[in-house]
Amino acid sequence: MQSAFDSMEFRRALGCFATGVTVITTPTDEGAVHGMTANAFTSVSLEPPLVLVSVDRKTRTHGLIASSGRFAVNILREDQAPVSQHFAGKPNPDVEQGLAYAWYDDIPYLEDCLASLACKLWASYDGGDHTLYLGEVLNIVVRDGDPLLFFRSKYRQIQP
Ligand SMILES: Cc1cc2nc3c(=O)[nH]c(=O)nc-3n(C[C@H](O)[C@H](O)[C@H](O)COP(=O)(O)OP(=O)(O)OC[C@H]3O[C@@H](n4cnc5c(N)ncnc54)[C@H](O)[C@@H]3O)c2cc1C
């Protein structure tokens, strides 16, 4: 049976689901760090602690997670929309200059964000043009602050 909607309508419907914004960091083969903005993130299991991120097969991150078996989910703070834009392929020299990474074993994560979850790849599932990467969370860092939100293609903040 054919879909009763086109891809624009599908995107509009998905955009009604308000999310936070994350940057997925993963090591490169050369031991450097690569990052990518993602909002297709969800918690999965408490025991064992598992989270999921859906990654487009066309991204660089897709191959890097598959080859390293490591990634971190960095949840952005309300003032970090420029960081999200930077890691979504719109490079910003000011953002780049301010970036700093810490490592948990061989998993890199952002030093400055709301929370980071360092993960070992647990399983990968076919998600059409995306792959669903499940990570077992090995370490977490949580800081004070409010989250950056994304709703109907726009960055938002929690209103009082
Ligand atoms: C709000 C939002 C949510 C998104 N959600 C998802 C999602 O859930 N899943 C998905 O697959 N795509 C998502 N995307 C799209 C995704 O972020 C882009 O397609 C991204 O460009 C893919 O990154 P890449 O791995 O191909 O790397 P590239 O496009 O090559 O790099 C991404 C950007 O990060 C910069 N960068 C990377 N590493 C570093 C580093 N170490 N230091 C400094 N800068 C660095 C690069 O300069 C570049 O600007 C989302 C985009 C937005 C705006």
Side-chain angles (χ1 to χ4, degrees):
M1 216 193 307
Q2 268 200 321
S3 315
F5 52 85
D6 64 26
S7 69
M8 279 301 280
E9 287 174 296
F10 187 43
R11 282 166 185 259
R12 271 189 62 215
L14 297 178
C16 294
F17 186 60
T19 67
V21 182
T22 77
V23 171
I24 308 301
T25 44
T26 186
T28 66
D29 297 342
E30 299 80 32
V33 182
H34 180 76
M36 175 195 107
T37 300
N39 68 342
F41 162 72
T42 188
S43 57
V44 173
S45 159
L46 290 176
E47 191 52 55
L50 300 177
V51 295
L52 178 155
V53 61
S54 178
V55 179
D56 192 322
R57 292 179 188 276
K58 292 193 294 292
T59 63
R60 224 183 129 206
T61 299
H62 187 273
L64 290 173
I65 293 178
S67 63
S68 70
R70 302 278 186 273
F71 65 93
V73 179
N74 303 277
I75 300 169
L76 297 185
R77 223 178 27 237
E78 61 180 356
D79 59 335
Q80 292 184 304
V83 177
S84 170
Q85 286 299 94
H86 174 80
F87 283 106
K90 295 193 176 124
N92 176 336
D94 292 338
V95 168
E96 187 148 6
Q97 218 169 19
L99 292 172
Y101 303 97
W103 293 74
Y104 177 75
D105 281 348
D106 46 3
I107 309 168
Y109 60 92
L110 286 181
E111 268 193 350
D112 184 27
C113 62
L114 191 54
S116 297
L117 302 96
C119 304
K120 183 171 79 175
L121 187 60
W122 170 274
S124 310
Y125 298 102
D126 180 9
D129 57 10
H130 284 50
T131 293
L132 310 180
Y133 286 125
L134 260 70
E136 179 184 11
V137 182
L138 303 182
N139 194 38
I140 54 178
V141 178
V142 181
R143 302 182 187 87
D144 287 338
D146 286 330
L148 178 64
L149 304 179
F150 197 67
F151 173 62
R152 289 193 162 146
S153 306
K154 289 205 173 85
Y155 295 104
R156 320 269 181 157
Q157 296 180 349
I158 293 175
Q159 299 292 325

